[in-house]
Amino acid sequence: GVKLFERSSHYVELTPVGLELLQNAETVFLYLQRAVDDAVAAGRATVGHVKVGISRDGTLPDPVRAAMLELNLEQDFLVILEQTTYLALFNGLADHSYDLIFTTDRTIRTRSDMEYVPLRPFNLVLAVSKSHPKATKPTLSPLDFKDETVYIALPNGKNVPSDVVSSVYNMCGGALNLYFCDSPSDIILNASLRSGVALVPELVDQSRYPDVRFASFEKRDNAFQYLAWRKGENNPSVLNCRDRIL
C-alpha cells in the first residue's frame, strides 16, 4: 500500500519513499554484482592456469596461436601470454613465474633443469626502409650497408650474442658499423626512418611494418624457436597446454 510514484497527465516521478527504495536497490545490485564477479574470479583460480613467456624477437606460429586460443575458449582453462627478454624467460621458468616459454636462445640446449622441443627454424633478415635507394635490389646483404649504421638486437640488453655477431662479421669482413639495441621493434622503427638498417629475427611480425622490406640473407644451421618447460613438470594443466601446442 506504499505509494512509490506520483503520476499526472504530464509526468511520472518517484515519491520520496520510491526514491529511497531505488537507492537501496542500486546498493543491493552493486553487492550482487560484486558477489558474481568474486565467484567468477574464484572459479577462474581453480581452472587450468598456465602462464607462457615468449622472447621479444618472436611471434607464435599460427598453429600454436590457434591451439592457445582454443584453450582459452574452454571454460576450464586460462592461458596468459607475456613477452620479455631471453634472460627473464629462463629465470621465470626456473622460479615458476612461467610455466612454458618460447625462446630462440640456443643456450636452452645446455640447461639441465629444462626440457625443450624445436618448433621452427630461426634466421636473421635485413630490415630496410622501402624508401632506401638500395631497397629495390633483388638481393640484399649486410655488405650493401658498410657505410651505414646496422642495428642489431641483443638477447637481454647486456650480453653480446657472439654467435650472431661472429657470423655477420665473418660474412662482411668486420666492416660493419654495428649498433646494439635491446628491442627488435625499436631497431626496425629506426630502419623505417632511414637512420640505418637492422638485423632482426625473421620471426618478428613483419606485417606490423608496411614501410619496411625484410630481406633474407643468411640461413643458420641448428637455429630454432623452441618451446621449453621445467624438467619433471607434473602439473596436468601445463602438460595439457604443452601437448595441445605440440
Side-chain angles (χ1 to χ4, degrees):
V2 178
K3 191 174 183 180
L4 301 178
F5 300 96
E6 292 284 359
R7 292 185 175 86
S8 73
S9 57
H10 302 291
Y11 65 86
V12 176
E13 65 180 7
L14 289 167
T15 64
V17 175
L19 183 59
E20 183 177 357
L21 176 63
L22 176 62
Q23 291 170 341
N24 290 335
E26 289 175 341
T27 301
V28 170
F29 177 78
L30 288 174
Y31 278 113
L32 178 61
Q33 185 62 53
R34 184 176 299 173
V36 171
D37 292 342
D38 289 346
V40 170
R44 272 298 198 184
T46 62
V47 303
H49 183 285
V50 179
K51 191 166 184 180
V52 182
I54 181 172
S55 54
R56 290 188 296 193
D57 59 8
T59 55
L60 292 175
D62 288 341
V64 172
R65 191 185 303 273
M68 293 176 69
L69 175 60
E70 188 176 84
L71 282 167
N72 267 350
L73 292 176
E74 297 178 4
Q75 291 186 351
D76 59 348
F77 222 94
L78 179 63
V79 180
I80 300 172
L81 186 66
E82 184 174 279
Q83 226 174 15
T84 188
T85 64
Y86 286 167
L87 187 60
L89 285 176
F90 285 162
N91 290 342
L93 189 58
D95 68 15
H96 293 248
S97 297
Y98 297 117
D99 299 302
L100 298 168
I101 60 171
F102 293 93
T103 181
T104 55
D105 190 339
R106 284 184 281 182
T107 59
I108 186 70
R109 297 182 297 197
T110 68
R111 299 287 301 242
S112 61
D113 58 335
M114 299 177 186
E115 297 183 83
Y116 64 89
V117 172
L119 292 178
R120 57 178 175 174
F122 166 74
N123 295 292
L124 292 176
V125 293
L126 266 171
V128 184
S129 170
K130 289 181 179 178
S131 66
H132 194 288
K134 296 179 180 177
T136 56
K137 290 182 62 174
T139 59
L140 291 172
S141 89
L143 280 170
D144 295 314
F145 305 98
K146 284 186 176 181
D147 299 325
E148 301 186 43
T149 300
V150 178
Y151 295 95
I152 188 168
L154 303 185
N156 57 36
K158 296 179 181 178
N159 299 324
V160 175
S162 57
D163 59 326
V164 175
V165 175
S166 297
S167 174
V168 173
Y169 261 65
N170 290 337
M171 178 184 296
C172 305
L176 292 182
N177 177 27
L178 290 178
Y179 185 88
F180 300 103
C181 294
D182 183 50
S183 168
S185 60
D186 287 347
I187 63 176
I188 296 173
L189 290 174
N190 277 307
S192 70
L193 295 174
R194 293 280 302 276
S195 63
V197 298
L199 289 171
V200 298
E202 65 181 352
L203 301 181
V204 297
D205 186 358
Q206 298 181 13
S207 65
R208 294 176 54 194
Y209 308 97
D211 299 326
V212 174
R213 176 187 171 187
F214 293 89
S216 176
F217 74 93
E218 179 196 34
K219 297 295 182 184
R220 293 186 293 155
D221 295 331
N222 299 317
F224 296 94
Q225 182 183 46
Y226 301 94
L227 173 65
W229 58 94
R230 284 179 296 276
K231 193 169 186 177
E233 178 64 68
N234 57 12
N235 184 320
S237 297
V238 176
L239 298 178
N240 180 23
C241 184
R242 179 201 65 187
D243 293 345
R244 294 275 288 272
I245 288 173
L246 297 177

